[in-house]
Amino acid sequence: MELAVLPRERSLESGPVSAILDLPLVSSGKVREMYDAGEAVDGPPHLLMVASDRISTYDAVHPTPIPDKGRVLTGLSVFWFQKTGHIVANHLVSAIDGVPEPVRGRALLVRRLQMLPVECVVRGYITGSGWKDYQATGSVSGIALPDGLRESERLPEPIFTPSTKADVGHDEAIDFERAAELVGDRALMARVRDVSIELYSFAAEHARSCGVILADTKFEFGLDESDPAHPLVVGDEVLTPDSSRYWPADGYEVGHGQPSFDKQYVRDWAAGYGWDKKPPAPAIPDDVVAGTRARYVEAYERIAGEPFRAWLERTGATVEGAAGGGRSAPDGAA
Ligand code: PZK
């Protein structure tokens, strides 16, 4: 088997899978890749979005993968795509048909869109860069907020705080008017803002009923010219721990930063280890990997309301690298 002789650095867990997928790489992020999946004769173009098990903290990717992280994020994204189809169309085509066997569970076939050049952030709580901006100016993205807010406090209502997509470094916060200029259509941008807030509000209410606070999240939208009835489509991953801040509702306390539902073990360990938070990120010890993996699986199970192995079984996920292609939903996978 070819898989068995791939060096660890190029395995599915830690690196791009172009070598084994044999599809053209369109785009790659810190922890996932996008491939050109071609098109049926006369059909629309499709992409294959693949989530790796790589994890980043403080903007640096650790050399140690978190087993199942990519499959948890993909399963959560599909859960939310299915739950929010009444709010807006999405780019999901299939998690099974057209998804190559080695990446089942961690990859989605999606419609290729004309992506809008803005990141659509919605905040229900004041934290992170929003908290910094508020402390400095009393506003976030041009939206004036009440005086006297404390760190991590819930906002009177969710706010739309778009940003530009920076190729390198951090995205730059912009106001609605600047976002409308970049998109070139103010009415479309108003619809994108309204849909973003509706998606956030719907998801935050569901998450809260599962004991999880959805503090903020980021969406990316595109236009599908082949579907004149539903030109606006939400793409990317939606409402995953990598595109959102999830906090445990237990222990939520205003006045300081909150622990991350998924990454807090890694951050706590890194702080004690003495990492200066500058690249390269250190290797993660086995017990911290296991604790973090358990948190991702717990996030899936709490939010999706089913065992994680149900996702693996539905998608025919296999043991990667196993001779003979492995088998579905291995014992102990969840
Ligand atoms: C697209 N990205 C960012 C996402 C990566 C990079 N449906 C679409 N149509 C056209 N382009 C994109 C999408 C989506 N989603 C998104 N880059 C291109 C991105 C995931 C992995 F490496």
Side-chain angles (χ1 to χ4, degrees):
M1 283 289 291
E2 196 159 53
L3 270 179
V5 300
L6 280 173
R8 180 169 174 77
E9 288 68 30
R10 290 175 61 199
S11 73
L12 285 180
E13 288 73 22
S14 58
V17 289
S18 49
I20 57 162
L21 278 181
D22 199 37
L23 296 173
L25 184 65
V26 171
S27 168
S28 68
K30 283 202 294 271
V31 302
R32 61 219 178 108
E33 284 83 38
M34 187 76 88
Y35 297 90
D36 186 342
E39 50 208 90
V41 178
D42 266 10
H46 290 143
L47 297 170
L48 188 74
M49 198 167 66
V50 184
S52 77
D53 289 340
R54 298 190 296 276
I55 187 170
S56 69
T57 63
Y58 309 109
D59 286 321
V61 179
H62 293 266
T64 321
I66 305 297
D68 286 323
K69 173 177 179 274
R71 304 200 291 195
V72 163
L73 267 61
T74 299
L76 276 172
S77 222
V78 167
F79 170 78
W80 287 118
F81 279 137
Q82 291 173 343
K83 285 279 275 193
T84 60
H86 65 289
I87 299 173
V88 67
N90 60 66
H91 70 163
L92 176 62
V93 173
S94 175
I96 300 166
D97 294 337
V99 176
E101 185 274 339
V103 292
R104 288 272 175 89
R106 69 167 68 252
L108 301 178
L109 192 72
V110 302
R111 281 188 281 166
R112 190 170 199 150
L113 308 170
Q114 299 292 337
M115 300 305 288
L116 303 183
V118 291
E119 312 246 339
C120 296
V121 178
V122 183
R123 301 170 191 270
Y125 292 73
I126 189 75
T127 187
S129 66
W131 171 239
K132 287 212 169 65
D133 293 349
Y134 171 74
Q135 286 179 290
T137 69
S139 302
V140 183
S141 292
I143 301 169
L145 295 175
D147 288 338
L149 289 176
R150 293 178 296 158
E151 188 175 10
S152 307
E153 192 166 351
R154 188 177 178 175
L155 295 169
E157 58 188 5
I159 57 173
F160 181 68
T161 63
S163 57
T164 59
K165 295 184 194 181
D167 274 355
V168 289
H170 267 142
D171 298 340
E172 184 196 348
I174 53 177
D175 64 13
F176 173 83
E177 296 304 332
R178 179 66 187 140
E181 272 178 20
L182 289 170
V183 164
D185 181 337
R186 196 173 189 285
L188 173 63
M189 198 62 221
R191 167 117 181 98
V192 166
R193 174 196 60 205
D194 293 349
V195 162
S196 295
I197 290 173
E198 207 177 329
L199 288 169
Y200 168 83
S201 299
F202 177 86
E205 192 169 315
H206 175 87
R208 192 64 194 77
S209 79
C210 307
V212 182
I213 292 172
L214 177 62
D216 53 36
T217 194
K218 181 196 81 181
F219 302 107
E220 294 197 28
F221 291 88
L223 298 177
D224 183 356
E225 272 97 25
S226 76
D227 185 359
H230 303 282
L232 181 65
V233 177
V234 63
D236 206 65
E237 60 183 321
V238 289
L239 298 156
T240 71
D242 276 7
S243 68
S244 315
R245 279 193 182 90
Y246 282 106
W247 298 333
D250 259 19
Y252 167 68
E253 200 175 76
V254 168
H256 55 84
Q258 305 301 298
S260 158
F261 193 95
D262 47 306
K263 290 180 175 173
Q264 202 57 39
Y265 286 146
V266 177
R267 291 185 183 144
D268 289 349
W269 167 77
Y273 179 77
W275 177 38
D276 60 7
K277 302 177 184 174
K278 290 188 283 219
I284 306 168
D286 289 352
D287 60 325
V288 178
V289 169
T292 302
R293 179 195 203 181
R295 290 296 276 176
Y296 279 105
V297 170
E298 184 183 348
Y300 181 87
E301 296 188 338
R302 280 210 207 183
I303 291 166
E306 67 174 12
F308 176 56
R309 57 178 303 120
W311 166 251
L312 300 179
E313 281 166 8
R314 267 206 307 289
T315 55
T318 57
V319 182
E320 287 157 351
R327 59 199 171 83
S328 182
D331 292 343

